Amino acid sequence: MNVKIAPSLLSADFGDLKSDIQMLNKSQADWLHLDIMDGVFVPNISFGFPVLKYVKELSEKPLDVHLMITEPTKFIKEVKDLGADIMNIHYEAVTHLHRAVEQIKAADMKAGITLNPATPVCLLEDIICDVDMILLMSVNPGFGGQKFIENSIQKCERLKEMILRKGAHAMIEVDGGINLETGKIMVNAGADILVAGNYIFKSEDPVLTIENMKKL
Ligand code: DX5
Ligand code: ZN
């Protein structure tokens, strides 16, 4: 199976979002990754639902929503109304994770759990069979354009081993500092989906960059 590529809109040109979304529509990108931040869970604020509604109208790609906010379950309805296919919530932001996952699935979305770099994958042992995706942060969340954290490689290998051992169906997505080099390493470590912001949008030819990433 080919690796899936999910460009992160965080690095797009917010002055001309329409052109960037139309460019992605024409590209081989599989999903559109949307980073929602609240300035509390992470030290930054990105965009909210009024902007995302506009994005949804323009995008022909499935929406992969990454909530970097406290109390993400408050917004299940809003995320669903957006037409999101996948809703990712942070392990560190939720007390009753099993309940939250069930609520997301009941809203007819795929449920993803995101881990910060310092959160070990062994904490997923008792939830891995219930989720559709694990999103491994390979940088500290909050900003695009940061350096890839090397420890993410071993984490991804450990997660892949757990998924196989448990017979789980969860996909592995990685997010942060991904380029052709780190992307290749993470695919070899078991990643199914690569998120990339800076590397795609700051490249000379984003459509070609996505095409090259698809070959990993
Ligand atoms: C960071 C976000 C990422 C970010 C990735 O908090 O979750 O999705 O946009 O950006 P790059 O690929 O530039 O590291
Ligand atoms: Zn993200």
Side-chain angles (χ1 to χ4, degrees):
M1 191 196 77
N2 261 358
V3 63
K4 286 187 173 18
I5 305 299
S8 164
L9 206 66
L10 195 61
S11 295
D13 177 359
F14 289 165
D16 190 6
L17 263 187
K18 192 172 185 170
S19 299
D20 274 348
I21 295 169
Q22 284 169 343
M23 174 276 290
L24 291 177
N25 285 343
K26 284 191 229 125
S27 78
Q28 289 183 31
D30 296 275
W31 297 347
L32 181 54
H33 184 84
L34 301 171
D35 293 299
I36 305 181
M37 306 177 188
D38 66 355
V40 180
F41 183 72
V42 288
N44 196 10
I45 296 175
S46 53
F47 37 68
F49 294 108
V51 175
L52 292 169
K53 198 166 168 280
Y54 174 75
V55 172
K56 171 63 190 173
E57 279 165 26
L58 294 170
S59 178
E60 293 165 9
K61 306 285 180 181
L63 302 184
D64 171 33
V65 176
H66 175 195
L67 292 164
M68 283 160 274
I69 64 173
T70 61
E71 301 194 61
T73 48
K74 272 188 184 169
F75 296 98
I76 291 174
K77 185 178 182 312
E78 281 80 355
V79 174
K80 176 63 188 171
D81 288 348
L82 206 61
D85 294 75
I86 304 138
M87 177 166 167
N88 293 290
I89 56 175
H90 267 260
Y91 181 92
E92 304 83 4
V94 179
T95 307
H96 300 288
L97 197 55
H98 183 271
R99 179 184 292 147
V101 164
E102 293 306 311
Q103 287 172 340
I104 293 169
K105 291 197 294 192
D108 210 15
M109 290 182 286
K110 288 194 167 65
I113 296 176
T114 309
L115 297 189
N116 278 338
T119 306
V121 295
C122 61
L123 291 171
L124 298 170
E125 280 278 344
D126 292 296
I127 191 87
I128 192 72
C129 293
D130 298 308
V131 293
D132 300 294
M133 191 158 88
I134 302 296
L135 172 51
L136 290 180
M137 290 308 302
S138 38
V139 297
N140 286 295
F143 303 92
Q146 301 182 80
K147 193 177 175 298
F148 177 81
I149 297 172
E150 298 283 328
N151 186 55
S152 317
I153 304 165
Q154 281 190 15
K155 261 180 97 168
C156 190
E157 287 169 350
R158 285 199 299 269
L159 177 58
K160 184 73 188 179
E161 182 275 321
M162 181 192 295
I163 289 170
L164 293 173
R165 173 167 47 82
K166 293 262 190 178
H169 70 276
M171 295 178 289
I172 303 177
E173 183 174 37
V174 290
D175 184 6
I178 297 296
N179 52 39
L180 272 184
E181 191 191 334
T182 54
K184 176 90 196 154
I185 294 170
M186 292 311 276
V187 168
N188 288 340
D192 304 294
I193 307 123
L194 303 175
V195 176
N198 210 57
Y199 187 66
I200 290 174
F201 285 100
K202 305 294 182 242
S203 69
E204 219 162 273
D205 184 346
V207 171
L208 181 64
T209 302
I210 293 167
E211 198 180 309
N212 288 333
M213 292 185 86
K214 281 293 291 177
K215 292 176 190 152
L216 287 176

